[in-house]
Amino acid sequence: MNDRPRSFASTLFSVGLLLIAMASIQSGASLAKSMFPVIGAQGTTTLRLIFASVIMLLLLRPWRAKLTAKSLRTVIVYGMALGGMNFLFYMSLRTVPLGIAVALEFTGPLAVAIYASRRAIDFLWIALAALGLLLLIPTGATTTGIDLVGAGYALGAGVCWALYILFGQKAGADHGVQTAALGVMIAALFVAPIGIVHAGAALLTPSLIPVAIGVAILSTALPYTLEMVALTRIPTRTFGTLMSIEPAIGALSGLLFLQEYLSLSQWMAILCIILASVGATMTMGSTAKPVIAAD
């Protein structure tokens, strides 16, 4: 009789951890946007990844991982995908509201989940996702909507997120959680030259350092740790289903911290993508890996 209350309490605890993790990621994105006027999205991505790599180095000590030539290639692609995802996502935030950028980016892991399932019902999730995209992206000359370049960046971030999942699974099988630290280090090396060329000496602005550390903690160290704890306590499908609400949390974060007001059609679009993600998660194979948020 005691097992059921304990199991319910554990599940409730894990749900709380996931909600905190998602709120942390989106709060970090909102905070990061405040750095754009000084060093741009390029410089912001650079500082975030540099400080995140330092934090992950201290926490996970990745130098203990034993890399082979094959596993090193996988980790490098994983890290480049992570860097590209962060870079393109921040580039999209220059002109696209946070909630919409997250929803567009979410098409990447959604595509992975649908491909992993490949059932007839997946056509319904594809249709829902397509409807969401049609509601978000303007298609006519007189249609008002989001910036197409920014939307392209967000969709590009989704492609990188899909690669991050696929190669992260392979790298994680070899090196476990140390993969995350290795990936963030490679991502920082991949993106840093772009940020340095764009922002130059402005990256050393003293007032930005505490903000950048805060972004690194909120967007990387804290949510990753919470998600790893939650994943050990709840089923994969439950984890994936809960993660599917992240676009809505992104929209709420944009509203609260950035005063980004969305139209009814944009909220409906986000809802369509969330429902498509939930549906794809519920019908995916039992051995499929969950989506780990990493914006």
Side-chain angles (χ1 to χ4, degrees):
M1 291 178 64
N2 292 331
D3 290 340
R4 186 175 297 175
R6 188 179 304 154
S7 175
F8 176 77
S10 178
T11 299
L12 194 62
F13 176 71
S14 300
V15 170
L17 290 182
L18 284 180
L19 291 175
I20 294 172
M22 287 185 282
S24 177
I25 289 173
Q26 301 311 323
S27 298
S30 299
L31 183 61
K33 202 166 181 176
S34 68
M35 299 167 65
F36 287 6
V38 182
I39 55 175
Q42 301 91 329
T44 301
T45 310
T46 297
L47 286 185
R48 177 255 177 101
L49 289 174
I50 287 174
F51 284 112
S53 64
V54 172
I55 293 171
M56 300 299 274
L57 272 171
L58 296 175
L59 290 177
L60 300 178
R61 292 173 287 179
W63 56 84
R64 298 182 300 174
K66 297 179 180 179
L67 296 171
T68 64
K70 182 179 179 180
S71 64
L72 179 60
R73 286 194 297 269
T74 301
V75 170
I76 289 174
V77 176
Y78 165 74
M80 291 177 66
L82 175 60
M85 176 176 63
N86 282 267
F87 174 72
L88 293 173
F89 180 71
Y90 279 6
M91 290 293 285
S92 74
L93 290 184
R94 297 181 305 171
T95 56
V96 175
L98 178 57
I100 294 177
V102 175
L104 291 172
E105 185 192 30
F106 226 80
T107 57
L110 174 58
V112 173
I114 289 174
Y115 179 78
S117 176
R118 286 181 285 186
R119 298 179 181 179
I121 195 172
D122 290 328
F123 286 104
L124 174 59
W125 316 136
I126 293 172
L128 273 173
L131 176 59
L133 291 176
L134 287 174
L135 289 172
L136 284 177
I137 299 176
T139 55
T142 60
T143 305
T144 58
I146 62 173
D147 175 63
L148 285 179
V149 175
Y153 280 129
L155 291 172
V159 173
C160 289
W161 196 350
L163 293 173
Y164 163 85
I165 294 169
L166 296 174
F167 284 91
Q169 290 173 4
K170 296 177 183 178
D174 294 331
H175 307 294
V177 294
Q178 291 174 338
T179 298
L182 292 170
V184 173
M185 288 172 55
I186 293 169
L189 292 173
F190 176 59
V191 174
I194 302 173
I196 292 171
V197 169
H198 176 80
L203 290 171
L204 302 177
T205 304
S207 61
L208 289 181
I209 303 304
V211 182
I213 294 174
V215 171
I217 293 173
L218 288 172
S219 298
T220 303
L222 178 60
Y224 184 84
T225 302
L226 295 178
E227 287 168 1
M228 288 297 100
V229 173
L231 187 55
T232 63
R233 296 170 176 263
I234 56 177
T236 296
R237 282 195 179 91
T238 304
F239 183 97
T241 301
L242 288 168
M243 294 303 297
S244 297
I245 68 173
E246 188 166 9
I249 293 181
L252 291 174
S253 181
L255 176 64
L256 291 174
F257 299 115
L258 302 172
Q259 289 74 53
E260 294 175 341
Y261 297 92
L262 304 183
S263 66
L264 178 60
S265 64
Q266 289 171 333
W267 277 107
M268 291 299 295
I270 291 173
L271 178 60
C272 286
I273 292 174
I274 289 173
L275 291 176
S277 180
V278 170
T281 301
M282 295 300 291
T283 56
M284 71 182 182
S286 58
T287 59
K289 301 293 184 181
V291 171
I292 301 292
D295 288 328

